[in-house]
Amino acid sequence: MNEEALSKVKKKSAAFKRYLETKEGKEYNDYSRARNQARWACRRMKKEFEMASLTKIPFSKVFDEEEWGKYLAAAQIWGAGHGLYWNNLRFFFFR
């Protein structure tokens, strides 16, 4: 986790503890703001990590062309074209 995201998560935790001690509306608003900032920072960090890792991996390492061809042929033979629609495709990454 990068330093920005880590500091935001720590601020969120501290704000939540303050809210639990006081149960005041202002403290809850501070906690909500810190929670949202931590969420955004973590999502941004995750996106940056995924983009960096994708640029380092060649396409042939991610997709097995032979297996993909077998899947396409089987789907066409059995008339299972619905499995080729973009919203029905599932990709998994195994190292």
Side-chain angles (χ1 to χ4, degrees):
M1 185 176 286
N2 63 14
E3 290 182 26
E4 176 198 3
L6 186 60
S7 69
K8 301 262 184 185
V9 169
K10 286 181 181 179
K11 286 180 185 178
K12 177 194 73 123
S13 296
F16 186 67
K17 286 180 185 176
R18 274 194 311 275
Y19 166 68
L20 288 179
E21 291 171 358
T22 62
K23 300 284 187 181
E24 292 182 11
K26 181 192 177 303
E27 298 298 331
Y28 181 76
N29 289 339
D30 292 342
Y31 161 68
S32 296
R33 187 174 298 110
R35 179 193 62 204
N36 291 339
Q37 288 178 354
R39 183 181 299 146
W40 295 331
C42 289
R43 285 181 181 169
R44 188 170 41 251
M45 180 201 58
K46 180 182 174 189
K47 182 179 177 183
E48 289 171 2
F49 174 76
E50 289 174 348
M51 292 304 291
S53 64
L54 281 178
T55 57
K56 294 177 186 174
I57 300 172
F59 183 79
S60 60
K61 291 272 188 182
V62 177
F63 290 101
D64 185 359
E65 295 92 3
E66 195 170 313
E67 291 294 321
W68 186 245
K70 289 178 188 178
Y71 175 70
L72 291 174
Q76 191 170 19
I77 290 170
W78 293 329
H82 63 278
L84 300 175
Y85 298 147
W86 69 269
N87 59 338
N88 292 332
L89 292 175
R90 304 293 182 261
F91 298 103
F92 300 95
F93 183 68
F94 298 106
R95 288 186 183 208

